[in-house]
Amino acid sequence: MENEGCPCAGRDGGPKMTRQGFLALAATGLAAAIGAVLSASGLTYFISPAFGKDEENWIDLGPASDIKPGTPVKVDYVERRRDAWVVNEKRSSAWIATADGKEFTAFDPRCTHLGCPYRWDQARGQFLCPCHDAVFSGEGAVVSGPPPRPLDRYSVKIAGGRLLIQPQPQKGA
Amino acid sequence: MNQAFCRVARWVAERTGLDQVWEALFARKIPEASGIAAWLYTLGSASMFVFSVQALTGALLAMNYVPSPDHAYDSVKFISERVLLGSFIRGLHHWGASFMVVLVVLHLLRVYFMGAYKYPREGTWMVGVALLLIVIGLGFTGYLLPWDQKAYWATAVGTNIAGQTPVLGPYVAKILKGGSEMGAATMTRFYALHVLVLPALALGLIAVHLFLVVWHGISEPPSRKDDGGRP
């Protein structure tokens, strides 16, 4: 009893490794290794949502050539959003405008004031919201009325002649 | 380093008596055995280790699992295919379940053939049999949860077997299924049994079982005595 009074005496009490000491060490080491593998993999599983990448959810709206310059078009689409093991479908729409048939802009179809659906007035060349008489220009800027900011936009890209949008609103610029 | 560790260990020991607990549990006297006989004595600890693995992996699986006919299959698939290490954790739980039954039965056979169930250890044996039934119950209820064809039909067969019992059978089957048809109520019922009722019972009985093991000490391996041919 070299380590008198120590509750863990005898496990690594002396410099010389005894047979019993070696077996105790081996057993403890093996247990520690198994415990480490189990807890490390369990912990990885538990915290894995923190590393998950958000899926890019591009929605195909059809051939880009369908949108004629000068006249914004309201395009209806079905958005499929993956929520873990569930896929939710949501019917929605977006206003697509282009000045030259090359650069496209997609607007969130809700007025930035209180979320009413607005419409395109071809004669005036402006977006009109019927709820509180808001008026937006063809580029989405506020012309008159109560909206606090221009129309919200969605990310747009063209791939293989098809128009793709990502319907997460970015605050109007 | 060693000095500091000793001081901490003593601080804890004086306040909790943990050293005496350690002494009673791990430094207690056990019968001398060697070779295969010595290994047979590890089956109980092995069962308990697999039980704790099942508890850990089960808790993790429950984080992504829904016990409902319209989500169960997809959520299990989600675990296997999309969650990081999900297939590993599910694999551990899957194989651990089978391994648990094997270990527990081997443990029972060892205790039976070594006569370790005899006086004064009958209580340990009885609690052990109850634990065996719980393990089988966990296996039966867990088998349904993935809600694939195998799970569905195995449970259909299982509950039909229960239904064959004279007089009480039909009622037992209905209680198991939560109604006359297998469906949503069966799943929630089996899930509640699998993750709440049976594990809680198992934990309580394991505590009693272990207490009795320590209280009575472990029985010696049987030996043939030369005292007039008596076994």
Side-chain angles (χ1 to χ4, degrees), chain B residues 16-183:
Chain B
T16 59
L18 217 56
D19 54 331
Q20 276 153 291
V21 175
W22 177 270
E23 200 95 334
L25 286 183
F26 297 103
R28 68 185 198 275
K29 296 208 163 34
I30 56 168
E32 212 172 295
S34 60
I36 189 84
W39 283 103
L40 291 178
Y41 279 100
T42 63
L43 290 166
S45 315
S47 309
M48 205 172 70
F49 171 71
V50 177
F51 178 81
S52 51
V53 171
Q54 293 302 90
L56 172 80
T57 52
L60 290 171
L61 291 175
M63 287 175 192
N64 288 318
Y65 174 76
V66 184
S68 146
D70 49 357
H71 287 306
Y73 182 76
D74 289 330
S75 60
V76 170
K77 212 168 147 215
F78 174 77
I79 292 170
S80 294
E81 292 173 4
R82 303 187 77 94
V83 180
L84 193 57
L85 286 180
S87 61
F88 178 66
I89 298 292
R90 190 184 162 209
L92 278 182
H93 201 75
H94 173 97
W95 291 104
S98 300
F99 201 49
M100 179 94 197
V101 176
V102 171
L103 280 175
V104 161
V105 169
L106 287 177
H107 181 49
L108 175 135
L109 291 175
R110 184 236 113 193
V111 168
Y112 179 76
F113 283 111
M114 285 191 176
Y117 55 87
K118 291 176 186 172
Y119 176 85
R121 300 187 180 82
E122 293 98 324
T124 326
W125 171 264
M126 286 183 232
V127 175
V129 170
L131 280 167
L132 170 74
L133 294 178
I134 289 174
V135 167
I136 293 170
L138 282 166
F140 180 59
T141 51
Y143 207 80
L144 174 69
L145 301 181
W147 202 244
D148 50 15
Q149 287 290 325
K150 192 172 68 167
Y152 183 90
W153 293 110
T155 305
V157 169
T159 50
N160 281 342
I161 291 172
Q164 295 300 309
T165 316
V167 190
L168 284 179
Y171 301 104
V172 173
K174 274 190 181 180
I175 291 169
L176 277 175
K177 286 187 278 197
S180 24
E181 297 291 331
M182 250 177 81

Side-chain angles (χ1 to χ4, degrees), chain A residues 16 19 40 53 59 78 84 86 88 90 99 101 107 113 119 124 126 142 144 155-156 167 169 173:
Chain A
K16 255 175 54 181
R19 186 181 142 96
K53 272 188 297 202
I59 292 163
V78 177
V86 184
N88 293 313
K90 196 177 87 180
F107 295 112
H113 176 223
R119 63 185 177 84
R124 291 166 66 176
Q126 286 173 322
V142 182
S144 66
S155 310
V156 183

Side-chain angles (χ1 to χ4, degrees), chain A residues 3-8 11-12 34 37-46 48 51 55 82 84-86, chain B residues 5-6 9-10 13 19 49 53 60-61 63-64 66 71 74-75 78-79 82-86 88-89 92:
Chain A
N3 269 341
E4 198 70 58
C6 180
C8 53
R11 313 200 74 208
D12 51 355
I34 294 172
V37 169
L38 275 177
S39 45
S41 48
L43 195 67
T44 309
Y45 177 101
F46 179 62
S48 63
F51 313 123
E55 265 179 59
R82 184 187 291 281
W85 51 86
V86 184
Chain B
F5 178 74
C6 267
R10 196 177 311 132
D19 54 331
F49 171 71
V53 171
L60 290 171
L61 291 175
M63 287 175 192
N64 288 318
V66 184
H71 287 306
D74 289 330
S75 60
F78 174 77
I79 292 170
R82 303 187 77 94
V83 180
L84 193 57
L85 286 180
F88 178 66
I89 298 292
L92 278 182

